[in-house]
Amino acid sequence: MGAEGVVVVREFDPKKDVVGVEEVERRCEVGPSGKLSLFTDLLGDPICRVRHSPAFLMLVAEMGMEKEIVGMIRGCIKTVTCGRKLTRNAKSNKPVPVYTKLAYILGLRVSPSHRRMGIGLKLVRRMEEWFRENGAEYSYMATDNDNLASVKLFTDKCGYAKFRTPCILVNPVFAHRVRLPDRVTVIQLAPSDAEVLYRRRFSTTEFFPRDIDSVLNNKLSLGTFLAVPRGTYSVQNFPGSDRFLDNPPESWAVLSVWNSKDVFTLEVRGASRVKRALAKTTRIVDRALPWLQLPSVPELFRPFGLHFLYGLGGEGPRAVKMVKALCGYAHNLAKARGCGVVATEVSSCEPLRLGIPHWKKLSCAEDLWCIKRLWEDYSDGSVGDWTKSPPGWSIFVDPREV
């Protein structure tokens, strides 16, 4: 192969690579086959989607004498829960989290004119080298189940196994505010209270980040919100998460909101003029007759932002209704901040997903997470090979990786 055909993989240089990376992003529209495609604009910072992780890296692939950028990949490393074990204290016998160092691959792009040349494989392998050098035990990636090329690359050539199939649920932000139920009180928790609540109740959930405090205190985190029956607690008399969890109400729910709008914007492409006209009509009618609370379609055919809901959880017979109230609260927050959609990702068997409003056309019923073990180490406390473990009821989706 001549010099003009040699592919060089190196670390992203923000001083000279931004334009080339943006061009590849534009040419690689992302979206499930047969559906409207989503174009992602990273707001001038191609590495911003992993910058908030404890350790991150972005690589680019360049080719030819002109060193044209033809591909890129992003990766990050963090410590998460991969399972749980029981304590040896016979009195408590409570489960405690088992942590592992996990790497995440995202944003793999290869220019359409340079595909089937092994560039994607070369980028993945170089990224995995960095993962191993930094002590990651596992690597995983997420893709749409219909993205056959991506699935084949990772499962057939890179040794990944299909692992989890969560759901991405997306709901439009309407022109009107969602009315919250009178029987529910929503309380915004301080980051310290949110951390206590998450660590006590969700630290054994798969993919729970050990540095949850960093997530909750990040400038992109808009807050953690707790829903309780009206009359139990208020903003003024909330006793703190420890006392709350020692004597919780019969039903409650919690979620946090992440401001992805300040990280990237999205744009729906591929819609016909008829669909665009119908969407515009729903917005006009909704503005003219707001009391009807019509489900209008927001302007999604130009760049729009989103808020991501994470840390979803709750208990009790009315927990689903509490989640629905929190989603309404999050919708109103997104409306006030000019977002086009609210999104979340949950396990396909998550019981609380019934309380999450979403549009099927915008959502993904089966996202696919593939995982690979990078090295073998069955040290004391290990749950064995996480890649072979059965799925649990819930997963914790880190908003820094969205």
Side-chain angles (χ1 to χ4, degrees):
M1 182 181 291
E4 67 278 0
V6 174
V7 177
V8 176
V9 175
R10 59 170 175 79
E11 188 171 343
F12 168 77
D13 185 346
K15 294 181 179 179
K16 65 177 183 178
D17 294 336
V18 171
V19 174
V21 165
E22 288 179 344
E23 179 59 29
V24 175
E25 286 278 6
R26 289 191 193 95
R27 299 180 65 188
C28 298
E29 294 185 357
V30 182
S33 59
K35 297 183 180 180
L36 300 180
S37 63
L38 282 176
F39 174 74
T40 307
D41 181 0
L42 296 180
L43 300 179
D45 185 359
I47 205 170
C48 62
R49 291 181 71 178
V50 292
R51 189 180 297 280
H52 299 279
S53 299
F56 59 87
L57 178 69
M58 180 171 175
L59 301 173
V60 297
E62 60 182 17
M63 175 182 272
M65 301 297 292
E66 297 182 356
K67 298 183 178 180
E68 176 191 3
I69 293 179
V70 295
M72 66 271 198
I73 191 171
R74 304 175 184 92
C76 58
I77 302 174
K78 60 182 180 178
T79 301
V80 304
T81 300
C82 64
R84 61 183 181 176
K85 63 179 180 179
L86 297 178
T87 61
R88 296 179 180 178
N89 186 335
K91 293 183 178 180
S92 64
N93 205 33
K94 292 182 179 179
V96 296
V98 176
Y99 291 105
T100 190
K101 209 166 186 180
L102 175 71
Y104 179 46
I105 290 176
L106 75 163
L108 175 61
R109 304 281 189 270
V110 176
S111 178
S113 59
H114 292 81
R115 291 174 182 170
R116 298 184 180 181
M117 298 172 63
I119 295 173
L121 179 61
K122 195 168 186 176
L123 285 164
V124 172
R125 286 178 173 170
R126 181 66 64 84
M127 183 62 73
E128 287 181 345
E129 289 178 11
W130 180 76
F131 290 161
R132 291 187 181 93
E133 291 169 359
N134 286 273
E137 183 177 3
Y138 296 93
S139 171
Y140 86 109
M141 53 76 68
T143 187
D144 189 275
N145 199 41
D146 294 333
N147 191 340
L148 300 182
S150 179
V151 173
K152 186 174 182 179
L153 169 64
F154 281 92
T155 58
D156 291 358
K157 297 183 180 180
C158 299
Y160 286 70
K162 296 180 180 180
F163 189 56
R164 301 290 183 257
T165 53
C167 306
I168 301 175
L169 305 178
V170 182
N171 204 46
V173 176
F174 306 125
H176 54 77
R177 289 174 57 85
V178 173
R179 183 177 178 180
L180 304 183
D182 295 333
R183 299 173 62 186
V184 176
T185 297
V186 176
I187 301 170
Q188 182 170 357
L189 301 180
S192 57
D193 273 323
E195 180 185 354
V196 169
L197 191 150
Y198 280 132
R199 289 196 188 280
R200 283 191 56 176
R201 286 302 173 97
F202 304 108
S203 63
T204 57
T205 301
E206 273 192 326
F207 294 92
F208 180 82
R210 194 171 195 170
D211 64 336
I212 185 63
D213 53 322
S214 296
V215 178
L216 297 170
N217 286 286
N218 192 289
K219 64 181 181 180
L220 295 176
S221 185
L222 298 179
T224 298
F225 303 93
L226 177 70
V228 296
R230 184 170 295 278
T232 53
Y233 295 105
S234 67
V235 177
Q236 291 75 22
N237 71 1
F238 184 72
S241 290
D242 272 322
R243 292 179 60 186
F244 170 80
L245 291 173
D246 289 340
N247 186 29
E250 182 185 36
S251 298
W252 59 274
V254 65
L255 60 75
S256 299
V257 182
W258 186 264
N259 182 20
S260 297
K261 182 174 180 284
D262 285 355
V263 180
F264 59 86
T265 59
L266 298 170
E267 181 180 349
V268 174
R269 294 183 175 179
S272 66
R273 291 184 177 181
V274 173
K275 289 182 178 179
R276 289 172 181 259
L278 289 174
K280 185 176 181 179
T281 300
T282 65
R283 294 193 297 274
I284 294 173
V285 175
D286 196 6
R287 285 195 295 268
L289 306 171
W291 58 87
L292 293 180
Q293 301 282 289
L294 296 174
S296 59
V297 181
E299 178 55 86
L300 303 180
F301 310 113
R302 292 182 293 182
F304 63 90
L306 71 87
H307 282 177
F308 185 77
L309 311 184
Y310 68 100
L312 180 77
E315 295 180 355
R318 295 181 57 209
V320 169
K321 293 183 178 179
M322 297 287 177
V323 167
K324 187 174 182 180
L326 287 174
C327 289
Y329 188 94
H331 170 278
N332 295 342
L333 179 63
K335 179 183 182 309
R337 298 179 63 89
C339 286
V341 299
V342 175
T344 189
E345 187 165 14
V346 296
S347 170
S348 56
C349 52
E350 170 62 66
L352 297 179
R353 64 177 289 191
L354 296 175
I356 304 172
H358 62 281
W359 278 19
K360 187 176 180 179
K361 287 272 186 189
L362 298 175
S363 302
C364 176
E366 191 173 281
D367 197 24
L368 176 63
W369 291 8
C370 299
I371 197 168
K372 173 182 179 179
R373 195 162 198 185
L374 297 174
W375 50 275
E376 303 291 333
D377 180 14
Y378 296 96
S379 57
D380 183 45
S382 172
V383 294
D385 189 348
W386 187 21
T387 67
K388 299 176 182 178
S389 64
W393 287 106
S394 304
I395 55 174
F396 195 102
V397 180
D398 194 326
R400 295 173 295 187
E401 298 172 357
V402 175

